[in-house]
Amino acid sequence: MIIAVDFDGTLHDAEYPNIGEPVKDAVEMMRRIHDDGHTIIIWSCRAGRYYDDMVEWLDGIGIPFDYINEHDRSVLNTYGVDTRKVYADVYIDDHNIGGIPSWKSIYKKIQELN
């Protein structure tokens, strides 16, 4: 599956433009999701130096990802168009109605969907 994951408030606990501590279990569950063979797209509005800070933080803490704000190549090959909205099978974002569940619950749900 292709999984788009928001950055601010979803992977760390600070408010933009700051970057805080990882949300509980986010690092471990993101690693498991990636190890299970899923494609991870970091989905963020960060740009410029704030984008660079995000990439440095992700790399430094060991959160794997395949793309940032880009489509998986298979989507481009299938549909032949590069839209602004990143296509994913699942979107993980702290702005969901009802908020974001725990990362362990997210991982369990992804396993059920797969």
Side-chain angles (χ1 to χ4, degrees), residues 48-64:
R49 97 166 209 252
Y50 299 118
Y51 176 96
D52 295 341
D53 292 344
M54 174 183 67
V55 173
E56 182 178 322
W57 186 87
L58 290 165
D59 287 341
I61 204 148
I63 291 180

Side-chain angles (χ1 to χ4, degrees), residues 5 7-8 11-12 16-19 40-60 65-71 73 86:
V5 182
F7 182 68
D8 294 304
L11 291 174
H12 71 89
Y16 177 86
N18 300 313
I19 300 176
I40 296 175
I41 300 172
I42 302 298
W43 188 34
S44 177
C45 292
R46 286 179 174 255
R49 97 166 209 252
Y50 299 118
Y51 176 96
D52 295 341
D53 292 344
M54 174 183 67
V55 173
E56 182 178 322
W57 186 87
L58 290 165
D59 287 341
F65 59 90
D66 299 287
Y67 305 99
I68 298 176
N69 294 334
E70 292 181 65
H71 291 284
R73 300 297 175 243
V86 173

Side-chain angles (χ1 to χ4, degrees), residues 2-105:
I2 300 170
I3 301 169
V5 182
D6 176 51
F7 182 68
D8 294 304
T10 301
L11 291 174
H12 71 89
D13 62 4
E15 290 189 31
Y16 177 86
N18 300 313
I19 300 176
E21 295 300 315
V23 170
K24 184 178 190 240
D25 299 318
V27 175
E28 179 186 354
M29 295 303 112
M30 287 286 286
R31 288 177 183 161
R32 284 189 189 182
I33 290 166
H34 200 257
D35 289 347
D36 288 348
H38 300 291
T39 298
I40 296 175
I41 300 172
I42 302 298
W43 188 34
S44 177
C45 292
R46 286 179 174 255
R49 97 166 209 252
Y50 299 118
Y51 176 96
D52 295 341
D53 292 344
M54 174 183 67
V55 173
E56 182 178 322
W57 186 87
L58 290 165
D59 287 341
I61 204 148
I63 291 180
F65 59 90
D66 299 287
Y67 305 99
I68 298 176
N69 294 334
E70 292 181 65
H71 291 284
D72 180 89
R73 300 297 175 243
S74 65
V75 171
L76 295 176
N77 293 337
T78 300
Y79 298 105
V81 64
D82 189 2
T83 62
R84 287 184 60 208
K85 182 178 179 182
V86 173
Y87 170 83
D89 299 299
V90 173
Y91 298 86
I92 302 170
D93 193 317
D94 62 311
H95 288 281
N96 296 320
I97 293 176
I100 188 166
S102 73
W103 271 95
K104 287 186 177 182
S105 296

